[in-house]
Amino acid sequence: DGRVKAPGAKSKPGLAPLPYMLSLSVDPAYRRRGLGRALLTLSERIVHDVWGDSEIYLHVEDNKLPANTLYEATDYEALSYTFDP
C-alpha cells in the first residue's frame, strides 16, 4: 500500500496495520508559531488522501504539556493503554 515502515517493523499477527505517528517534534526556538499544528495537519492529509485511512494513533507522555495541548485542541481522544509486548 506504499506505507513506509521502520526496518524490521511487523504488525501483530491477525491485526491490520494502522497509521501510527512515531514522532512529531518542533525545535523549542520555533514553537508557538503553528508549526506543530501544520505538521499534524499535513500528516492527517497524507494518512487520509494517500493511505485512505481516517485515524492516526500515537503515544504522548502525560507530562508533555505542549503536545497534549495540541492534540486536545485538534480533537484527538485519549484511549486507555495496556502494555502488550
Side-chain angles (χ1 to χ4, degrees), residues 59-69 71-72 78-79 81:
H59 286 98
V60 62
E61 297 172 18
D62 289 338
N63 66 344
K64 302 295 184 186
L65 186 59
N68 282 296
T69 301
Y71 298 129
E72 288 171 8
L79 302 174
Y81 174 74

Side-chain angles (χ1 to χ4, degrees), residues 1-67:
D1 63 7
R3 297 177 198 218
V4 177
K5 295 182 180 174
K10 296 180 184 175
S11 295
K12 289 189 175 190
L15 295 178
L18 298 171
Y20 179 84
M21 185 177 308
L22 182 61
S23 180
L24 188 151
S25 301
V26 174
D27 187 289
Y30 296 96
R31 291 185 183 158
R32 306 293 307 159
R33 299 180 187 192
L35 295 174
R37 187 178 295 259
L39 289 168
L40 184 59
T41 299
L42 178 60
S43 300
E44 291 170 338
R45 286 180 49 201
I46 290 169
V47 165
H48 181 267
D49 296 349
V50 178
W51 297 351
D53 285 306
S54 60
E55 295 180 328
I56 298 175
Y57 292 85
L58 56 89
H59 286 98
V60 62
E61 297 172 18
D62 289 338
N63 66 344
K64 302 295 184 186
L65 186 59

